[in-house]
Amino acid sequence: MFSVSDHKFPEPQPKRPQSLDKVNSFNSILQLIHQPRTCLLFAILALQVLLLFTLRSLPFARQHLSPTYSPQPVRLPLTVPEPEDECGSGRVFVYDLPKTLNQEILQNCDDLNPWSSRCKALANDGLGQQATGIKGIVPDNLVPAWYWTDQFVSEVIFHNRILNHKCRVMEPESATAFYIPFYAGLAVGKYLWSNSSTAQERDRHCEMMLRWVQDQPSYKKSDGWDHFITMGRITWDFRRSKNDDWGSSCIYLPGMRNITRLLIERNSWDYFDVGIPYPTGFHPRSDSDVADWQNFVRNRSRSKLFCFAGAKRGAIKNDFRGLLLSHCQKESDTCRVVDCAGTKCSNGTSAILETFLDSDFCLQPRGDSFTRRSIFDCMVAGSIPVFFWRRTAYIQYEWFLPGEPDSYSVFIDRNAVINGTASIKNVLQGISREKVKKMREKVIDYIPNFLYAKPQEGLETVKDAFDIALEGVFRRFKQQGELGFRWK
């Protein structure tokens, strides 16, 4: 049992009236109101309540304050990028010259050479006759892309290409460059080996062209600084200083001084001369033709260390080409030779093509001048060129060749070869196979730069020699304008 005395209950408290509690609560509130912080708090609360009711009364309040509202991503107006200007580097206007300066020269192809007709060489828009005898040497699918192209037809090839170029404009006011489609090389060629031709005959066509061009407003505006021309022979054929000398004096005539000239061999001391590749026999029809050819020469099994295709020049004292021919014939175990005496190698043959394809290196002495077409025939075949004169390539074709000569070629001092202190065979055998592979790959990478494509509008994406030359002209003219590098 629990003891009552042991359990203590709380003492009863007197009951307070409710009215008194209310009074005391009200007094407490009054005391709080008189405190500054409390006043500020109440003011903020009141302002928020007022703002809430005000927003609910606005027209858009129901939409934005609805509990079911789900935010949507903000859609900014799309900015459509401007299409890239394919002709941002320049636009070219092609002069419509009198036909006697180009088309009529072609029509008279039977009369352009003192020995034989040149009509076959100028067929197929300057590419020449379809190559024969190469089946089994090149892949079957690429046989139709090969021609026996003449080395002096660049002015015809350039004219056909530029007429179909995407950046050609029909209004001279829109142009940044002006092309003069005069066939200077074909015009003078018929007189070069004629004993009866006069200086006036050799200069006649060029003088006609300059009189016509100098009368054009675009030429008068720039004094020819934004004009260019392709001259399909070496520069020395147009630099006659005296009447009895070789060639024409076209480059020295008034009006030619400021015109940029594209030539297969340039005068390295003349700013306005630009060297472009000699035309070769391979004219790809598509990007895939280029890729197929590069793969073919890359994987080609080459049985000879080096080769030489050329002929002696008996009239030249200490003829270096004759020396190379003899040297190669003596080293038949490592060198393959094609003796081009006479005209049997003119414009290429299957024997030359196969020789280059079968050799790691190809010997490239100077030709009748400092350069020779064989340089490009050799590299198109994936063979590594060996030079004996620096002017043969290094300071001729800067727009088209790698900037580091050692990356794609070998230079041997010709005097060391002549006096016997250097052996071509030993020099080439001393290059490691790994180095040879790298050099060949560099040559193969640059093959498109040496080609002139068959389609007159060019290839799909691959840039060939024509594309590189035209871009170089645009770039040159732009730089001239920016630097103010012009004289009257």
Side-chain angles (χ1 to χ4, degrees):
M1 291 179 64
F2 289 103
S3 172
V4 175
S5 61
D6 291 338
H7 187 76
K8 295 183 180 179
F9 291 95
E11 294 183 5
Q13 297 294 324
K15 187 175 182 180
R16 295 170 60 92
Q18 291 184 358
S19 60
L20 183 57
D21 290 336
K22 292 179 179 180
V23 170
N24 289 338
S25 298
F26 180 74
N27 290 336
S28 299
I29 293 173
L30 289 177
Q31 290 176 2
L32 290 172
I33 290 176
H34 288 290
Q35 295 182 10
R37 292 183 180 178
T38 306
C39 291
L40 179 61
L41 178 61
F42 275 109
I44 293 174
L45 290 174
L47 183 60
Q48 290 178 339
V49 172
L50 180 62
L51 182 62
L52 177 62
F53 280 99
T54 303
L55 289 175
R56 290 176 63 87
S57 64
L58 295 177
F60 59 82
R62 193 174 303 274
Q63 174 184 349
H64 287 277
L65 298 179
S66 172
T68 60
Y69 168 71
S70 59
Q72 298 294 321
V74 178
R75 294 186 179 181
L76 298 175
L78 294 177
T79 302
V80 180
E82 291 289 333
E84 184 178 353
D85 186 359
E86 290 185 309
C87 301
S89 57
R91 291 172 169 79
V92 60
F93 178 80
V94 183
Y95 282 124
D96 185 15
L97 292 181
K99 288 182 172 50
T100 187
L101 298 175
N102 43 48
Q103 294 302 316
E104 288 184 9
I105 294 175
L106 285 182
Q107 292 168 6
N108 294 323
C109 56
D110 282 322
D111 192 35
L112 295 180
N113 190 311
W115 303 292
S116 60
S117 170
R118 296 204 64 197
C119 293
K120 289 184 178 180
L122 296 171
N124 293 314
D125 298 320
L127 302 186
Q129 295 291 294
Q130 194 86 41
T132 57
I134 62 172
K135 188 175 179 61
I137 298 175
V138 304
D140 288 347
N141 66 310
L142 296 178
V143 169
W146 279 87
Y147 295 78
W148 297 138
T149 303
D150 189 89
Q151 62 181 334
F152 298 127
V153 295
S154 57
E155 53 204 13
V156 180
I157 293 174
F158 268 73
H159 189 193
N160 288 326
R161 286 288 299 277
I162 208 164
L163 286 175
N164 294 277
H165 196 267
K166 62 185 177 183
C167 295
R168 179 194 177 194
V169 295
M170 306 307 293
E171 306 82 18
E173 296 80 12
S174 304
T176 57
F178 297 83
Y179 185 67
I180 305 170
F182 168 46
Y183 296 169
L186 295 179
V188 74
K190 65 179 294 184
Y191 301 110
L192 292 179
W193 290 273
S194 172
N195 294 326
S196 60
S197 67
T198 65
Q200 289 72 27
E201 287 177 318
R202 284 173 274 163
D203 292 343
R204 181 170 64 90
H205 285 90
C206 189
E207 289 174 341
M208 291 172 55
M209 178 273 293
L210 286 172
R211 283 196 299 269
W212 189 91
V213 170
Q214 286 180 291
D215 197 40
Q216 305 306 306
S218 299
Y219 182 94
K220 293 178 179 179
K221 183 179 179 180
S222 69
D223 289 304
W225 277 91
D226 52 7
H227 286 52
F228 68 111
I229 185 173
T230 306
M231 306 178 82
R233 303 187 68 90
I234 63 175
T235 188
W236 317 108
D237 290 340
F238 308 101
R239 291 181 177 272
R240 191 192 74 243
S241 56
K242 295 184 296 185
N243 285 349
D244 294 336
D245 288 346
W246 171 269
S248 81
S249 61
C250 187
I251 287 178
Y252 293 143
L253 292 177
M256 276 293 289
R257 182 175 68 165
N258 301 333
I259 295 174
T260 291
R261 305 174 288 268
L262 307 180
L263 302 126
I264 52 178
E265 178 175 323
R266 65 183 289 256
N267 176 0
S268 57
W269 301 104
D270 190 335
Y271 166 80
F272 294 96
D273 275 11
V274 175
I276 59 173
Y278 281 78
T280 68
F282 181 44
H283 302 283
R285 302 155 297 178
S286 62
D287 285 4
S288 61
D289 274 3
V290 176
D292 288 349
W293 180 256
Q294 288 175 307
N295 289 331
F296 170 68
V297 298
R298 178 180 292 113
N299 298 317
R300 176 83 175 188
S301 177
R302 299 173 188 265
S303 60
K304 295 295 183 179
L305 177 64
F306 63 107
C307 68
F308 176 63
K312 296 179 180 179
R313 290 293 186 268
I316 301 176
K317 185 179 180 180
N318 299 323
D319 175 35
F320 189 70
R321 292 206 290 191
L323 176 65
L324 293 182
L325 192 65
S326 299
H327 178 76
C328 200
Q329 288 170 336
K330 292 175 182 178
E331 301 285 356
S332 58
D333 58 328
T334 55
C335 184
R336 180 169 175 172
V337 65
V338 179
D339 187 350
C340 292
T343 59
K344 61 184 180 182
C345 294
S346 177
N347 300 332
T349 67
S350 58
I352 292 179
L353 176 59
E354 190 171 20
T355 296
F356 288 149
L357 286 170
D358 284 345
S359 305
D360 284 329
F361 298 93
C362 55
L363 306 185
Q364 295 297 332
R366 59 174 290 171
D368 294 323
S369 59
F370 282 103
T371 64
R372 62 200 300 246
R373 168 188 164 150
S374 179
I375 299 168
F376 297 99
D377 290 334
C378 154
M379 290 193 288
V380 167
S383 191
I384 301 166
V386 180
F387 297 121
F388 305 90
W389 278 264
R390 296 192 183 277
R391 289 180 67 179
T392 300
Y394 299 151
I395 56 176
Q396 282 289 338
Y397 309 105
E398 293 96 331
W399 289 2
F400 305 89
L401 294 174
E404 308 79 23
D406 292 345
S407 68
Y408 73 95
S409 68
V410 177
F411 180 80
I412 301 176
D413 184 357
R414 64 186 178 278
N415 294 316
V417 176
I418 293 172
N419 62 32
T421 58
S423 164
I424 295 173
K425 177 181 176 180
N426 291 344
V427 170
L428 299 181
Q429 283 182 332
I431 302 174
S432 69
R433 298 310 300 172
E434 183 63 26
K435 175 66 173 175
V436 171
K437 183 179 179 181
K438 288 182 179 180
M439 294 172 73
R440 176 175 297 115
E441 192 60 37
K442 178 67 74 171
V443 170
I444 293 172
D445 286 345
Y446 273 74
I447 284 178
N449 294 20
F450 316 142
L451 305 175
Y452 294 96
K454 177 175 174 56
Q456 293 186 355
E457 64 276 8
L459 300 176
E460 298 95 324
T461 61
V462 174
K463 294 180 180 179
D464 68 351
F466 170 83
D467 295 316
I468 294 171
L470 186 58
E471 288 182 0
V473 168
F474 286 154
R475 184 172 60 250
R476 165 181 280 224
F477 290 170
K478 183 178 180 180
Q479 291 171 349
Q480 288 172 180
E482 292 174 347
L483 299 176
F485 181 56
R486 293 185 177 185
W487 56 70
K488 294 292 186 180

